Amino acid sequence: MTQKPQENGKSAGGAFWLTLFVIALVFYFMNESKKSASSRREDSISKRQTDTPGTPPADIAPRKFSDSAGSSTALHIPFSRPVESAAVNDLLIDPSGTLWAATEAGITSIRNDLVTHYRLAEGTFPFPQAQCLAHDGQRLWVGTLFGLCVFNENRRFVRAEASAGLPSQMIWDLTSDGKTLWAGTQNGAAFLDQDDNFVVIDSASTNSGLRQDWCQRVFRVENWFVVAHDSGISLWNTGFPAANPEWWKNIDHARAGLTRPVTDFAFDGKQLWLSTPRGVLHLTTPVSRFFSDFVPNLVS
Amino acid sequence: MKVKLYYFRLIESLKRLDIYQLLSLPVLILVILLSSNFKNTDIRIGVILPLTGSGSLRAGSHRNGLELALRHINGQGGINGRKIRLEMCDSQGSAAMAAEHARNLVYDSEVVALIGGMSPAETRAIQYVAENAQVPFITALCTHYELTENGSMFTFRSITDDKSQFEALAEFSARRFNSRKPAVIYDSVLYGAESAQKYMETAIKFGQQVCAAVSYQPGTLNFRRQLEVIMASNPDALVILTPADTAAVITRQAREVRFTPPILGGNHMSLPEYATIAGVYAESAITTMPFNPRLGGQRADFFLSEYYETYATQADSFAALGYEALMLNALALRAGEVNRLAIRNSLAQLHGWESVAGSGGFDNRGNQVKPAEIAIIKERQKIPVNLEALF
């Protein structure tokens, strides 16, 4: 009489384990099928993306840097498939020869085939994304949409103390002339002085010399500081006070027939070049004559 | 007493289980919880609009349209059983504020898509963040032509852009009034200069040569000097590229100085404040029309009646375009997975749809393919020109 319930208990326990196993199996397969469905979807590149010039088809994506390393970092270089992986916002090679990539996932460095990721999740990067990079000869700076970071001696990126002095924490571009760091932010531009404090340059402090505060690209050429903003391009002769609008030259988007955004600047030793979604242009006035006879004409 | 009884029964039944069975219970619960997604299953879409400030009335209508669409979508079970949730943000008409909201929505709230923007600067600010983070972005209010001409991949515009409006105006004025030398008046600080430039380029295609392009500083109330310059060049039409209230003042003053040629303008002149301020002087003005309920058929009828029932006011174009924008997102969400890239790809494939605003579609740059519709103002009402004979 006493054995019967025990037998029942054993069989009930077996049924319980079986139920548990089946339920776990069902949930496992449900999750797996979800994952595979999403990865299948991500593999399909729509017509619009493949039609876009400059986007490499998946089958000729850049070769992976190192398969022999065997580490997971080497297998996930974020720019091997631009649309599926984290988008790369900026690239820089520092004086030691290390390649740095600012991506939508953080920072990736590549040196001698060794790929290192700096991520928010790993505690090596303080923000979810990185926008732009600059090296002032001593330090590597990273501009993000959340503030300014610097690479410290512990090989970690930390929020720079000077970041609080920026006109906005949304940093769109950084540049360095070898000595000074310059930043273009959502609410104005700024440069880092000798005491590691930012000096703000915006339309108010320049008496509208800088026509617009949303600074999308910043560039240094000879003694000129060039800003591409939402209304056009402003150039400041840094030999004179920024507060005097007389030392600023401005080019208007509409009047110059310039398409937004200006994606980059370059200087060939004579002329200032700029790239836009509609092609490459240069200013007809050579940089050396900006001060004397500046004409805001652009030639494509 | 009953609770106590149930408690004892539960203890008794638990006592009957052996140790393995007791241990298996929390394991089973844990497996189920781990297998299911802990996160909120709502699909989050970010909305950034100038809900306060000068554009608040229009933004408010747009928000109402979005919220009505939300109610309809969720009322029908959502997207594959998941509800949509709108994260509403107020840009206060500032590009900087819009950019910050876009950043927070994209990186903190992890929305799957963005809707919004009204002024070009504000819309571009959202666009830059969206393109950067590869988040699909639909604007249903910003008409600045450049928005979809800057190599964008994740931006879509469901309203007809300035270029389409200018083409429609130039084509109509050339055909109807045989206009060959129109004059243009524009705001020198807002994007008027860019619009004027674009209008001049467009007019050439229709055999027109702009004879005078005159600007004014914001805050100008007396346009006599500008009108003198315009009248001196003897134009056969006047195109006004300014906000609605200024356009109304210009129209009044132009008619007062006996400027008789036709007056034309884009979507801004279809706003009620234009006809209200310009009064009788608005009669026969030609505008483009962003929303014609007649094109939407039964969908538009349903939308208009539901909107009136919900908000006790008539739906305007901003409301209709808001409704359409969220419906387009829902269409894209139903077509594929709920992730940013899949939504973007689905939107890019929406080359044709039927909505409250009629037929539409995105071209390969994400721009609305529907041509702008021309309306004529008669007794302060906008009448589509194809129905003009009926009125």
Side-chain angles (χ1 to χ4, degrees):
Chain A
M1 286 295 282
T2 51
Q3 277 178 350
K4 208 173 178 181
Q6 271 181 0
E7 276 172 12
N8 276 350
K10 270 180 191 173
S11 64
F16 231 98
W17 280 110
L18 192 68
T19 315
L20 179 71
F21 179 71
V22 169
I23 290 169
L25 213 62
V26 166
F27 273 93
Y28 173 78
F29 279 113
M30 273 170 69
N31 267 3
E32 280 304 298
S33 65
K34 268 186 199 170
K35 280 178 198 168
S36 62
S38 71
S39 64
R40 266 201 308 275
R41 181 76 198 167
E42 281 172 9
D43 279 344
S44 66
I45 297 169
S46 80
K47 194 166 176 278
R48 188 172 157 195
Q49 283 166 340
T50 48
D51 283 353
T52 307
T55 306
D59 58 339
I60 55 158
R63 195 186 294 275
K64 286 167 190 163
F65 278 76
S66 171
D67 285 331
S68 58
S71 66
S72 61
T73 53
L75 297 172
H76 299 290
I77 295 165
F79 39 82
S80 59
R81 299 185 74 179
V83 177
E84 291 171 31
S85 311
V88 179
N89 294 323
D90 201 6
L91 281 179
L92 178 137
I93 297 176
D94 70 13
S96 71
T98 304
L99 174 76
W100 297 90
T103 78
E104 280 300 302
I107 292 284
T108 297
S109 74
I110 303 160
R111 185 174 170 79
N112 299 331
D113 282 2
L114 177 69
V115 180
T116 314
H117 295 296
Y118 300 87
R119 300 271 189 269
L120 176 66
E122 293 155 13
T124 48
F125 193 73
F127 301 121
Q129 65 92 241
Q131 188 64 30
C132 45
L133 298 155
H135 201 284
D136 63 4
Q138 293 178 324
R139 289 170 290 185
L140 174 70
W141 298 90
V142 182
T144 78
L145 297 182
F146 299 84
L148 183 70
C149 303
V150 64
F151 193 51
N152 71 6
E153 59 279 3
N154 300 323
R155 304 198 63 77
R156 279 167 183 269
F157 286 92
V158 291
R159 188 175 190 274
E161 278 180 29
S163 186
L166 283 165
S168 164
Q169 295 306 304
M170 291 189 76
I171 304 166
W172 289 103
D173 198 17
L174 290 174
T175 193
S176 168
D177 50 19
K179 289 180 286 186
T180 310
L181 179 76
W182 299 76
T185 79
Q186 189 72 41
N187 259 343
F191 65 88
L192 202 60
D193 67 10
Q194 289 172 337
D195 302 325
D196 266 5
N197 292 318
F198 273 109
V199 177
V200 176
I201 307 160
D202 57 17
S203 55
S205 67
T206 60
N207 295 302
S208 299
L210 176 67
R211 286 275 166 83
Q212 229 263 354
D213 283 339
W214 179 10
C215 301
Q216 296 153 358
R217 279 281 175 274
V218 288
F219 188 64
R220 285 279 287 141
V221 49
E222 295 191 346
N223 59 334
W224 292 88
F225 173 57
V226 188
V227 182
H229 48 68
D230 201 42
S231 296
I233 296 168
S234 293
L235 304 100
W236 168 39
N237 186 335
T238 56
F240 298 92
N244 187 348
E246 290 293 312
W247 306 116
W248 287 84
K249 307 285 181 192
N250 278 286
I251 302 167
D252 190 80
H253 265 299
R255 289 180 182 89
L258 196 61
T259 308
R260 291 185 191 86
V262 171
T263 49
D264 214 351
F265 287 109
F267 178 56
D268 62 3
K270 191 180 170 196
Q271 273 161 327
L272 180 68
W273 291 81
L274 41 138
S275 62
T276 73
R278 288 282 186 85
V280 181
L281 306 105
H282 72 80
L283 265 165
T284 51
T285 312
V287 170
S288 58
R289 297 220 311 265
F290 274 3
F291 197 59
S292 51
D293 50 0
F294 182 78
V295 183
N297 282 346
L298 292 161
V299 175
S300 62
Chain B
M1 280 300 285
K2 248 185 177 178
V3 176
K4 219 171 181 182
L5 188 72
Y6 284 131
Y7 174 74
F8 282 120
R9 273 189 190 169
L10 180 72
I11 296 293
E12 280 302 307
S13 51
L14 284 173
K15 274 179 185 171
R16 275 185 223 136
L17 298 173
D18 64 19
I19 186 71
Y20 298 110
Q21 287 170 323
L22 279 170
L23 278 175
S24 67
L25 271 172
V27 172
L28 179 67
I29 292 163
L30 204 67
V31 166
I32 291 168
L33 285 176
L34 286 175
S35 302
S36 55
N37 193 357
F38 273 113
K39 283 184 188 172
N40 193 331
T41 54
D42 286 356
I43 299 166
R44 279 180 285 189
I45 293 174
V47 179
I48 305 164
L49 290 168
L51 296 168
T52 54
S54 59
S56 59
L57 272 177
R58 283 168 270 167
S61 275
H62 197 63
R63 180 192 53 197
N64 289 348
L66 285 162
E67 284 176 348
L68 186 62
L70 179 78
R71 228 183 58 190
H72 287 168
I73 295 163
N74 286 345
Q76 288 169 1
I79 307 294
N80 303 326
R82 291 174 71 183
K83 302 272 184 209
I84 290 183
R85 200 169 87 200
L86 294 180
E87 305 271 344
M88 204 70 74
C89 297
D90 179 12
S91 67
Q92 297 171 21
S94 143
M97 191 81 88
E100 280 180 23
H101 282 311
R103 177 197 65 187
N104 296 342
L105 287 169
V106 165
Y107 296 102
D108 297 339
S109 304
E110 293 182 347
V111 295
V112 293
L114 288 169
I115 296 174
M118 187 181 277
S119 73
E122 192 188 354
T123 313
R124 271 195 297 273
I126 304 168
Q127 182 189 32
Y128 279 29
V129 177
E131 290 287 331
N132 222 39
Q134 302 189 339
V135 177
F137 166 48
I138 296 183
T139 182
L141 297 180
C142 183
T143 57
H144 193 279
Y145 59 91
E146 210 180 59
L147 210 65
T148 48
E149 288 185 0
N150 55 10
S152 61
M153 293 286 286
F154 287 78
T155 306
F156 299 88
R157 181 199 345 245
S158 55
I159 186 171
T160 48
D161 68 352
D162 287 340
K163 221 161 107 180
S164 304
Q165 291 172 40
F166 296 163
E167 279 174 3
L169 288 170
E171 196 263 335
F172 181 78
S173 60
R175 187 167 46 81
R176 175 83 168 254
F177 311 116
N178 198 27
S179 167
R180 288 291 170 263
K181 41 182 261 187
V184 174
I185 183 164
Y186 62 93
D187 186 320
S188 65
V189 171
L190 291 175
Y191 74 109
E194 293 169 50
S195 303
Q197 183 71 31
K198 190 51 92 182
Y199 191 87
M200 286 190 262
E201 287 169 23
T202 310
I204 292 167
K205 285 196 251 172
F206 297 93
Q208 295 179 331
Q209 184 70 45
V210 172
C211 63
V214 183
S215 68
Y216 67 90
Q217 289 293 321
T220 305
L221 292 172
N222 188 346
F223 294 91
R224 201 179 58 193
R225 220 175 46 150
Q226 284 85 353
L227 288 167
E228 275 172 10
V229 174
I230 288 168
M231 287 172 79
S233 59
N234 196 24
D236 53 19
L238 174 63
V239 181
I240 304 178
L241 303 174
T242 74
D245 47 356
T246 315
V249 174
I250 294 169
T251 304
R252 282 188 86 103
Q253 293 183 9
R255 293 302 188 213
E256 276 166 5
V257 294
R258 302 213 175 122
F259 178 83
T260 50
I263 290 179
L264 304 99
N267 286 352
H268 54 279
M269 271 178 42
S270 72
L271 296 175
E273 56 253 48
Y274 173 76
T276 307
I277 299 170
V280 290
Y281 298 104
E283 193 68 13
S284 301
I286 307 295
T287 79
T288 50
M289 199 178 182
F291 170 57
N292 178 2
R294 290 177 186 88
L295 298 178
Q298 287 181 339
R299 282 186 184 86
D301 293 341
F302 174 70
F303 161 73
L304 292 170
S305 65
E306 285 279 300
Y307 190 93
Y308 189 78
E309 240 172 62
T310 313
Y311 302 107
T313 181
Q314 297 291 346
D316 57 14
S317 58
F318 302 99
L321 293 168
Y323 188 89
E324 184 183 57
L326 192 63
M327 285 296 179
L328 289 175
N329 260 311
L331 208 60
L333 281 161
R334 285 200 184 102
E337 291 289 316
V338 182
N339 68 58
R340 292 166 174 178
L341 183 66
I343 296 167
R344 180 254 166 232
N345 285 346
S346 300
L347 285 171
Q349 285 160 9
L350 281 179
H351 299 306
W353 68 70
E354 291 292 333
S355 80
V356 292
S359 309
F362 291 130
D363 64 13
N364 60 0
R365 287 181 304 193
N367 207 17
Q368 171 66 270
V369 290
K370 185 169 65 178
E373 200 182 356
I374 295 286
I376 186 161
I377 296 178
K378 283 194 172 179
E379 292 169 10
R380 299 189 187 189
Q381 298 294 315
K382 297 182 294 280
I383 314 295
V385 283
N386 52 355
L387 300 174
E388 194 187 348
L390 302 175
F391 292 84

